[in-house]
Amino acid sequence: AQKVTQAQTEISVVEKEDVTLDCVYETRDTTYYLFWYKQPPSGELVFLIRRNSFDEQNEISGRYSWNFQKSTSSFNFTITASQVVDSAVYFCALSRANNAGNMLTFGGGTRLMVKP
Amino acid sequence: DTGVSQDPRHKITKRGQNVTFRCDPISEHNRLYWYRQTLGQGPEFLTYFQNEAQLEKSRLLSDRFSAERPKGSFSTLEIQRTEQGDSAMYLCASSLRGFYEQYFGPGTRLTVT
């Protein structure tokens, strides 16, 4: 069975602070995919990143960066110089890579509040 | 390139009534997924289609739920004899292929009174 844990249910920061959202996953598969989605107050899930299990290179996209560590089964997400518009619920998700279904298993989400 | 659309956005119904939701995926996407999200939780998988074939259903999908995707285009999710526990956001997503990222629609929020 697959499982994703986001231990931080809510984080509050002041604008321009850096913030890291933690994600720990469990799977018996040797190949799999990891994702991050953003759900702003409007409710629509927005895709941020997909990472496959055999690519452990960290990735940076503007103010966003992701740290994938297979040894600790973690896929953490850092926002640098946070802005009020970053306020949202962020979900980490996991899917199998065998093309059988690839449905996403989501964590419980972390609500990020960025205050001006 | 239009995104995933869902209709209606909100539905209020009385317990025991039937409801139907529609999802239009991104046009070239052959995979379509339904998820359910309750307040404060992450989305949970319900079912998925590859083209017109429904290939997997979650144990969350009771006999009162049925989904179709005629001709491999839009999909409908029907809930019969709704119960208060069915109140949730129903999300539809589509992807180009199985392991590609899924793009979500805005969801249909169902309230059963």
Side-chain angles (χ1 to χ4, degrees):
Chain A
Q2 300 193 313
K3 185 178 179 181
V4 176
T5 301
Q6 295 179 255
Q8 306 149 308
T9 54
E10 199 167 292
I11 300 175
S12 181
V13 299
V14 176
E15 205 170 20
K16 298 183 184 176
E17 283 185 18
D18 299 346
V19 58
T20 296
L21 310 182
D22 297 333
C23 172
V24 174
Y25 62 91
E26 296 174 30
T27 180
R28 293 179 182 175
D29 295 342
T30 53
T31 55
Y32 47 89
Y33 287 89
L34 293 162
F35 303 80
W36 276 94
Y37 282 85
K38 174 182 180 180
Q39 190 172 42
S42 61
E44 189 161 342
L45 280 160
V46 177
F47 166 75
L48 296 178
I49 189 172
R50 175 178 66 116
R51 170 66 70 198
N52 60 49
S53 55
F54 45 88
D55 182 2
E56 287 195 67
Q57 279 194 340
N58 292 331
E59 182 156 340
I60 298 174
S61 176
R63 295 184 298 108
Y64 295 171
S65 62
W66 291 270
N67 181 285
F68 175 32
Q69 291 196 339
K70 210 166 179 178
S71 59
T72 56
S73 298
S74 65
F75 185 43
N76 297 337
F77 173 30
T78 297
I79 302 175
T80 303
S82 59
Q83 299 176 2
V84 173
V85 293
D86 295 327
S87 297
V89 181
Y90 291 86
F91 291 98
C92 180
L94 170 68
S95 79
R96 309 186 74 175
N98 60 2
N99 208 35
N102 311 111
M103 62 286 295
L104 296 170
T105 298
F106 285 88
T110 298
R111 180 178 299 278
L112 174 65
M113 293 180 292
V114 182
K115 299 178 181 177
Chain B
D1 185 21
T2 58
V4 179
S5 62
Q6 293 187 246
D7 184 70
R9 296 289 305 276
H10 303 274
K11 179 71 177 179
I12 300 174
T13 191
K14 292 184 178 179
R15 189 176 54 189
Q17 297 295 304
N18 299 343
V19 294
T20 299
F21 311 141
R22 177 181 170 123
C23 170
D24 286 89
I26 294 172
S27 57
E28 65 270 23
H29 285 187
N30 68 350
R31 289 276 181 112
L32 187 149
Y33 301 80
W34 285 98
Y35 293 84
R36 182 172 68 186
Q37 184 179 22
T38 53
L39 206 59
Q41 304 296 318
E44 295 176 292
F45 168 75
L46 292 178
T47 187
Y48 91 96
F49 293 82
Q50 178 163 301
N51 300 314
E52 67 276 6
Q54 186 175 18
L55 298 184
E56 190 159 342
K57 294 191 286 188
S58 160
R59 56 182 165 74
L60 293 176
L61 214 65
S62 76
D63 291 344
R64 297 183 296 105
F65 288 69
S66 62
E68 293 182 341
R69 191 183 183 196
K71 303 178 183 177
S73 54
F74 71 91
S75 176
T76 58
L77 177 68
E78 181 184 15
I79 308 175
Q80 296 182 327
R81 304 181 303 281
T82 52
E83 302 173 355
Q84 286 190 320
D86 297 330
S87 295
M89 176 79 87
Y90 290 84
L91 297 166
C92 176
S94 70
S95 69
L96 186 59
R97 288 183 179 84
F99 47 82
Y100 280 47
E101 55 271 18
Q102 296 176 24
Y103 292 91
F104 283 79
T108 295
R109 181 169 295 284
L110 173 67
T111 302
V112 182
T113 61

